[in-house]
Amino acid sequence: EEFALHDMEGLPKSFGEYVGLAAVAEFVELVEEFDHMDSDDLAAIYEDFQNIDELRTALNDTFVGLYDEFRDYADESADEMLAAHNAEGDNPLSRYFDYESFARDLRHDMRVIDLPTGNIAVFHA
């Protein structure tokens, strides 16, 4: 028996019109499992991974969070790193720390996905 989906709202665009029901069911399970995230965001993240099992593993193991922009995540990471080394305030390390360069270099070690909500999803690579 053949069927086609014509309302793709909330589903990954790559599913297409003739996706199998098993793929839709797996994606719906994922949306229910990660119900704290917007389904359109999960669909966009799926587009980057293209595999529901890899996506589920990444969300459980390497997902850092959602941010307005990558610099927010990088600045937060840098501040935590400096605090861990007692390099806050007037410490010379904190005064000369280059946040912009750190963010640029850190981005190479991360998987960053643009989301339809205007945010980004950040994963450890």
Side-chain angles (χ1 to χ4, degrees):
E1 203 171 305
E2 293 183 19
F3 62 90
L5 295 178
H6 298 288
D7 183 3
M8 301 293 291
E9 187 175 333
L11 294 175
K13 292 180 185 0
S14 64
F15 273 11
E17 191 174 355
Y18 300 103
V19 66
L21 290 178
V24 173
E26 285 180 334
F27 183 75
V28 169
E29 285 177 16
L30 183 80
V31 169
E32 290 174 353
E33 183 179 343
F34 294 93
D35 61 352
H36 60 280
M37 295 178 70
D38 184 86
S39 65
D40 289 334
D41 287 348
L42 282 171
I45 295 169
Y46 174 85
E47 293 297 333
D48 194 76
F49 280 87
Q50 291 291 310
N51 181 298
I52 201 79
D53 293 327
E54 287 180 28
L55 174 56
R56 179 175 277 112
T57 300
L59 286 168
N60 285 319
D61 298 341
T62 63
F63 181 63
V64 176
L66 301 175
Y67 293 87
D68 291 334
E69 57 186 49
F70 188 76
R71 181 69 188 263
D72 294 337
Y73 167 69
D75 288 354
E76 182 180 298
S77 296
D79 289 342
E80 288 175 6
M81 180 183 62
L82 290 169
H85 289 88
N86 296 320
E88 300 173 293
D90 279 343
N91 187 302
L93 182 59
S94 67
R95 282 187 276 153
Y96 293 105
F97 188 82
D98 186 346
Y99 281 87
E100 188 174 328
S101 294
F102 178 75
R104 183 190 63 241
D105 294 346
L106 182 62
R107 189 175 182 110
H108 293 292
D109 295 331
M110 308 300 283
R111 186 175 200 164
V112 180
I113 303 168
D114 293 320
L115 303 175
T117 54
N119 294 335
I120 60 165
V122 179
F123 293 83
H124 290 285

mmCIF file of all heavy atoms in Angstrom, residues 4 6 17 24 34 41-43 59-60 98-99 101 112:
data_model
loop_
_atom_site.group_PDB
_atom_site.id
_atom_site.type_symbol
_atom_site.label_atom_id
_atom_site.label_comp_id
_atom_site.label_asym_id
_atom_site.label_seq_id
_atom_site.Cartn_x
_atom_site.Cartn_y
_atom_site.Cartn_z
ATOM 1 N N ALA A 4 1.399 8.997 1.088
ATOM 2 C CA ALA A 4 2.258 10.178 0.982
ATOM 3 C C ALA A 4 1.886 11.143 2.098
ATOM 4 O O ALA A 4 0.722 11.241 2.485
ATOM 5 C CB ALA A 4 2.085 10.847 -0.374
ATOM 6 N N HIS A 6 1.599 14.987 3.202
ATOM 7 C CA HIS A 6 1.499 16.306 2.581
ATOM 8 C C HIS A 6 1.642 17.427 3.598
ATOM 9 O O HIS A 6 1.853 18.566 3.217
ATOM 10 C CB HIS A 6 0.175 16.435 1.824
ATOM 11 C CG HIS A 6 0.051 15.448 0.710
ATOM 12 N ND1 HIS A 6 0.774 15.560 -0.455
ATOM 13 C CD2 HIS A 6 -0.670 14.306 0.607
ATOM 14 C CE1 HIS A 6 0.492 14.547 -1.248
ATOM 15 N NE2 HIS A 6 -0.383 13.761 -0.624
ATOM 16 N N GLU A 17 8.079 13.537 0.869
ATOM 17 C CA GLU A 17 6.668 13.167 0.795
ATOM 18 C C GLU A 17 6.433 11.676 1.021
ATOM 19 O O GLU A 17 5.397 11.258 1.512
ATOM 20 C CB GLU A 17 6.143 13.583 -0.585
ATOM 21 C CG GLU A 17 4.672 13.530 -0.751
ATOM 22 C CD GLU A 17 4.231 14.095 -2.089
ATOM 23 O OE1 GLU A 17 5.077 14.615 -2.848
ATOM 24 O OE2 GLU A 17 3.042 14.004 -2.369
ATOM 25 N N VAL A 24 9.018 8.294 10.601
ATOM 26 C CA VAL A 24 8.194 9.305 11.266
ATOM 27 C C VAL A 24 7.988 8.922 12.723
ATOM 28 O O VAL A 24 8.113 9.763 13.623
ATOM 29 C CB VAL A 24 6.839 9.486 10.538
ATOM 30 C CG1 VAL A 24 5.919 10.404 11.326
ATOM 31 C CG2 VAL A 24 7.055 10.010 9.131
ATOM 32 N N PHE A 34 12.809 14.229 24.034
ATOM 33 C CA PHE A 34 13.457 15.525 24.272
ATOM 34 C C PHE A 34 12.408 16.631 24.183
ATOM 35 O O PHE A 34 12.570 17.610 23.459
ATOM 36 C CB PHE A 34 14.590 15.738 23.264
ATOM 37 C CG PHE A 34 15.718 14.767 23.445
ATOM 38 C CD1 PHE A 34 15.749 13.579 22.730
ATOM 39 C CD2 PHE A 34 16.710 15.016 24.371
ATOM 40 C CE1 PHE A 34 16.767 12.662 22.916
ATOM 41 C CE2 PHE A 34 17.735 14.108 24.570
ATOM 42 C CZ PHE A 34 17.765 12.925 23.840
ATOM 43 N N ASP A 41 13.286 22.754 16.020
ATOM 44 C CA ASP A 41 14.728 22.732 16.282
ATOM 45 C C ASP A 41 15.275 21.320 16.127
ATOM 46 O O ASP A 41 16.327 21.115 15.523
ATOM 47 C CB ASP A 41 15.046 23.267 17.676
ATOM 48 C CG ASP A 41 14.877 24.772 17.794
ATOM 49 O OD1 ASP A 41 14.738 25.440 16.749
ATOM 50 O OD2 ASP A 41 14.887 25.276 18.935
ATOM 51 N N LEU A 42 14.565 20.345 16.664
ATOM 52 C CA LEU A 42 15.008 18.953 16.527
ATOM 53 C C LEU A 42 15.022 18.527 15.067
ATOM 54 O O LEU A 42 15.921 17.810 14.631
ATOM 55 C CB LEU A 42 14.110 18.021 17.335
ATOM 56 C CG LEU A 42 14.373 17.996 18.836
ATOM 57 C CD1 LEU A 42 13.296 17.207 19.563
ATOM 58 C CD2 LEU A 42 15.737 17.423 19.137
ATOM 59 N N ALA A 43 14.047 18.993 14.299
ATOM 60 C CA ALA A 43 14.017 18.672 12.869
ATOM 61 C C ALA A 43 15.237 19.261 12.166
ATOM 62 O O ALA A 43 15.859 18.612 11.326
ATOM 63 C CB ALA A 43 12.725 19.173 12.232
ATOM 64 N N LEU A 59 22.548 13.813 21.253
ATOM 65 C CA LEU A 59 21.760 14.581 22.219
ATOM 66 C C LEU A 59 22.014 14.102 23.644
ATOM 67 O O LEU A 59 21.991 14.899 24.583
ATOM 68 C CB LEU A 59 20.273 14.502 21.882
ATOM 69 C CG LEU A 59 19.833 15.319 20.671
ATOM 70 C CD1 LEU A 59 18.417 14.934 20.246
ATOM 71 C CD2 LEU A 59 19.927 16.806 20.945
ATOM 72 N N ASN A 60 22.275 12.820 23.813
ATOM 73 C CA ASN A 60 22.542 12.275 25.149
ATOM 74 C C ASN A 60 23.986 12.469 25.595
ATOM 75 O O ASN A 60 24.250 12.641 26.781
ATOM 76 C CB ASN A 60 22.194 10.786 25.197
ATOM 77 C CG ASN A 60 20.709 10.560 25.253
ATOM 78 O OD1 ASN A 60 19.985 11.258 25.953
ATOM 79 N ND2 ASN A 60 20.235 9.584 24.500
ATOM 80 N N ASP A 98 42.165 36.714 25.246
ATOM 81 C CA ASP A 98 41.522 37.152 24.006
ATOM 82 C C ASP A 98 40.287 36.288 23.749
ATOM 83 O O ASP A 98 40.374 35.195 23.194
ATOM 84 C CB ASP A 98 42.523 37.031 22.847
ATOM 85 C CG ASP A 98 41.994 37.607 21.560
ATOM 86 O OD1 ASP A 98 40.778 37.867 21.447
ATOM 87 O OD2 ASP A 98 42.822 37.810 20.643
ATOM 88 N N TYR A 99 39.130 36.810 24.173
ATOM 89 C CA TYR A 99 37.877 36.071 24.039
ATOM 90 C C TYR A 99 37.520 35.808 22.576
ATOM 91 O O TYR A 99 37.020 34.738 22.236
ATOM 92 C CB TYR A 99 36.731 36.837 24.713
ATOM 93 C CG TYR A 99 36.706 36.686 26.216
ATOM 94 C CD1 TYR A 99 37.452 37.539 27.034
ATOM 95 C CD2 TYR A 99 35.939 35.710 26.817
ATOM 96 C CE1 TYR A 99 37.427 37.402 28.410
ATOM 97 C CE2 TYR A 99 35.898 35.569 28.192
ATOM 98 C CZ TYR A 99 36.640 36.418 28.982
ATOM 99 O OH TYR A 99 36.622 36.271 30.341
ATOM 100 N N SER A 101 39.513 35.445 19.907
ATOM 101 C CA SER A 101 40.354 34.382 19.349
ATOM 102 C C SER A 101 39.982 33.025 19.932
ATOM 103 O O SER A 101 39.956 32.021 19.218
ATOM 104 C CB SER A 101 41.828 34.659 19.623
ATOM 105 O OG SER A 101 42.245 35.801 18.929
ATOM 106 N N VAL A 112 28.251 23.067 15.318
ATOM 107 C CA VAL A 112 27.312 24.157 15.549
ATOM 108 C C VAL A 112 26.241 24.108 14.463
ATOM 109 O O VAL A 112 26.556 24.117 13.273
ATOM 110 C CB VAL A 112 28.031 25.524 15.541
ATOM 111 C CG1 VAL A 112 27.049 26.649 15.782
ATOM 112 C CG2 VAL A 112 29.151 25.543 16.579
#
